[in-house]
Amino acid sequence: MPRIGRRERILEKSSQLFSKQGYHATTIRDISEACGMLSGSLYAHIQSKEDLLFEITDRGAELFLQSLRPIVDSRADPVDKLRRAMIAHIRVITDNLEAATVFFHEWKSLASERRRIIQQKRDRYERMWARLLSEGVESGAFRIVDEKFARLLILSAANGLYQWYRRSGDLTPEQVADRFTEILLSGLSDGKEEKR
Amino acid sequence: MPRIGRRERILEKSSQLFSKQGYHATTIRDISEACGMLSGSLYAHIQSKEDLLFEITDRGAELFLQSLRPIVDSRADPVDKLRRAMIAHIRVITDNLEAATVFFHEWKSLASERRRIIQQKRDRYERMWARLLSEGVESGAFRIVDEKFARLLILSAANGLYQWYRRSGDLTPEQVADRFTEILLSGLSDGKEEKR
DNA sequence: AGATTAAAAACAAGCGCTTGCTTGGTTTTA
DNA sequence: TAAAACCAAGCAAGCGCTTGTTTTTAATCT
């Protein structure tokens, strides 16, 4: 008769602490205190501290993958796909700010085996974006010289969101995604110059 | 009669280790071993482990500030300024990849006082970029709806570089900066649509 | 409803180890 | 020959985690 939510609570508190102080700077005693128990009591619910990190990052990876999948598989036009993919990506971050922070910032603290699992999911996610951009280039919707470079730039900009979303005032995820795609699609220049 | 380079060597090895494993995951014994000495011997050259982190991040902050200063103060046109600022920013990262990684990834591990110092320098740097963009908007060179948002996007994308520059093959910093500004200024879309 | 009972949850104590750092003495360097 | 660099040894504190025991919980049986 497991009391419900116990483990979830631990994961949530861990996300908060890991995202704020980092994985290595957070102790088992920090986590247990945040959960209102002693350090030993934690181990009725988890096997190791690293389990917590893995579960948080793995859930994060799955959120990204599952939110992008239906968009990539759909048959919308590339520009619309990009817009929707951006919204999805940003939603995952803003709706799970602490878990996303841990996912981006602390996944390298995982040991070899589990780190590889996360690495693979990151690669899969990046490949989905690559496909999305390729379609746009092939269809003539995007004018991209260096696809790999463009992809890395886009994802860097989007991933950086977890570091400043709090500061962006009361923008909704949709508003953020709109401004995002607007800049990425149209650029910053005034448009007087001809496109090359 | 201090043997030259001893302290610099320690800083360099620390940068390598901090950037690879993170500050908290790196021990004094790791550093001393990399320097070919025992852990106690380190303390003839440093006062504390955190000194190392601070000196690395503070030097990084100064590199960014000093490389951007003359560009912001110059009287070039905004588009050219942006281009040159981007090159400078990217040069700092690519020429000091390990220190830059520590600067971006580990500065929050500093304790309150020193963390504030770095925070202030980061703010100053961001304000310089803000001014650069504002000038461009005032002069009509940039068409930016939300300046703060654009600034955060640009810096996020540029700062992300430390995570993937190794993967970008043999692009020179200038080539990276060119592709960067090209996308940011002109956008990804094919240009058939009118600019709003 | 109240008593029973076994699983689940939490505690109290502490183990083995690693951490950042210190100290006192020895070697190296110029 | 004296300052600088390094070693050898180890301290106090904190780490992740384990163990044996007690308390709490909620389903079961009168």
Side-chain angles (χ1 to χ4, degrees):
Chain A
M1 41 191 109
R3 222 189 309 176
I4 52 151
R6 226 74 194 115
R7 201 187 151 83
E8 288 305 315
R9 183 179 164 77
I10 294 172
L11 280 166
E12 196 192 310
K13 293 293 182 186
S14 298
S15 293
Q16 290 173 11
L17 288 165
F18 290 168
S19 67
K20 197 182 167 195
Q21 330 176 1
Y23 173 71
H24 285 294
T26 303
T27 70
I28 283 291
R29 287 166 179 86
D30 288 338
I31 298 170
S32 61
E33 189 185 356
C35 294
M37 57 177 81
L38 294 187
S39 64
S41 310
L42 263 190
Y43 288 84
H45 310 280
I46 65 169
Q47 293 205 18
S48 71
K49 184 186 170 188
E50 212 201 72
D51 279 6
L52 291 171
L53 179 60
F54 177 71
E55 192 149 341
I56 293 166
T57 51
D58 192 56
R59 285 190 188 184
E62 287 299 331
L63 284 174
F64 282 110
L65 285 169
Q66 284 164 22
S67 73
L68 187 56
R69 173 69 61 197
I71 295 166
V72 171
D73 290 344
S74 74
R75 265 193 281 255
D77 79 292
V79 172
D80 192 47
K81 270 194 185 181
L82 179 71
R83 227 180 264 279
R84 285 168 55 209
M86 197 60 78
I87 292 176
H89 183 93
I90 289 172
R91 273 220 88 97
V92 172
I93 294 177
T94 54
D95 289 353
N96 309 274
L97 201 45
E98 278 148 357
T101 300
V102 177
F103 174 71
F104 286 122
H105 221 94
E106 305 291 336
W107 72 279
K108 286 196 174 176
S109 295
L110 287 166
S112 52
E113 168 70 13
R114 292 166 144 180
R115 182 164 157 171
R116 236 194 57 250
I117 295 175
I118 301 297
Q119 177 69 266
Q120 284 173 349
K121 295 194 178 180
R122 293 177 74 101
D123 291 346
R124 267 169 54 201
Y125 188 68
E126 225 176 288
R127 253 178 274 129
M128 287 165 74
W129 273 92
R131 187 148 26 111
L132 197 149
L133 291 175
S134 289
E135 284 177 20
V137 171
E138 278 167 33
S139 78
F142 299 151
R143 179 189 45 85
I144 299 180
V145 182
D146 186 333
E147 272 187 49
K148 181 170 136 198
F149 188 89
R151 183 180 78 241
L152 292 169
L153 187 153
I154 292 172
L155 283 176
S156 284
N159 291 350
L161 194 68
Y162 79 90
Q163 290 174 318
W164 52 266
Y165 181 67
R166 292 166 197 83
R167 290 191 283 157
S168 70
D170 37 18
L171 291 179
T172 67
E174 279 74 15
Q175 287 175 313
V176 172
D178 276 350
R179 284 166 162 73
F180 219 98
T181 43
E182 165 66 16
I183 293 176
L184 285 177
L185 286 173
S186 305
L188 299 175
S189 75
D190 62 358
K192 285 174 198 155
E193 315 170 53
E194 268 187 25
K195 295 251 180 180
R196 282 171 271 172
Chain B
M1 40 191 107
R3 223 188 309 175
I4 53 150
R6 226 78 195 110
R7 200 187 152 84
E8 286 307 314
R9 183 179 163 79
I10 294 172
L11 280 167
E12 197 193 310
K13 294 295 181 185
S14 298
S15 292
Q16 290 173 10
L17 288 164
F18 290 168
S19 69
K20 196 182 168 195
Q21 329 176 1
Y23 172 72
H24 285 294
T26 302
T27 70
I28 282 291
R29 286 166 179 84
D30 288 339
I31 297 170
S32 61
E33 190 186 355
C35 295
M37 56 178 84
L38 293 188
S39 64
S41 310
L42 261 190
Y43 287 85
H45 309 279
I46 65 168
Q47 292 204 17
S48 72
K49 183 187 171 188
E50 212 202 72
D51 279 4
L52 291 171
L53 179 60
F54 177 70
E55 193 149 340
I56 293 166
T57 51
D58 192 55
R59 286 189 189 186
E62 287 298 332
L63 284 174
F64 281 110
L65 285 170
Q66 285 165 21
S67 73
L68 187 56
R69 172 68 62 197
I71 295 167
V72 171
D73 289 345
S74 73
R75 266 191 281 254
D77 78 293
V79 172
D80 192 47
K81 269 194 186 181
L82 179 73
R83 227 181 264 279
R84 285 168 54 208
M86 197 60 79
I87 292 175
H89 183 93
I90 289 172
R91 274 220 87 96
V92 172
I93 295 176
T94 54
D95 289 354
N96 310 273
L97 200 46
E98 279 148 357
T101 301
V102 177
F103 174 70
F104 286 122
H105 221 96
E106 304 292 337
W107 72 279
K108 285 196 174 176
S109 296
L110 288 166
S112 52
E113 168 70 14
R114 293 166 143 181
R115 181 165 159 172
R116 236 193 58 251
I117 295 175
I118 301 296
Q119 176 69 267
Q120 284 174 348
K121 294 193 179 181
R122 293 177 73 100
D123 290 347
R124 267 169 52 201
Y125 187 69
E126 224 175 290
R127 253 178 274 128
M128 286 164 75
W129 274 92
R131 189 148 25 110
L132 197 149
L133 291 175
S134 288
E135 284 177 19
V137 171
E138 279 168 31
S139 77
F142 299 151
R143 179 190 43 85
I144 298 180
V145 182
D146 187 333
E147 272 187 48
K148 180 170 136 198
F149 188 89
R151 184 180 75 243
L152 292 169
L153 186 153
I154 291 172
L155 283 176
S156 285
N159 292 349
L161 193 68
Y162 80 89
Q163 290 173 318
W164 53 268
Y165 181 65
R166 291 167 198 81
R167 289 192 282 157
S168 69
D170 37 17
L171 290 180
T172 66
E174 279 75 16
Q175 287 175 314
V176 172
D178 276 349
R179 285 165 161 73
F180 217 98
T181 44
E182 164 67 16
I183 293 176
L184 284 177
L185 286 172
S186 305
L188 300 174
S189 75
D190 62 358
K192 285 174 199 157
E193 315 169 55
E194 269 187 24
K195 295 247 176 179
R196 282 172 270 170

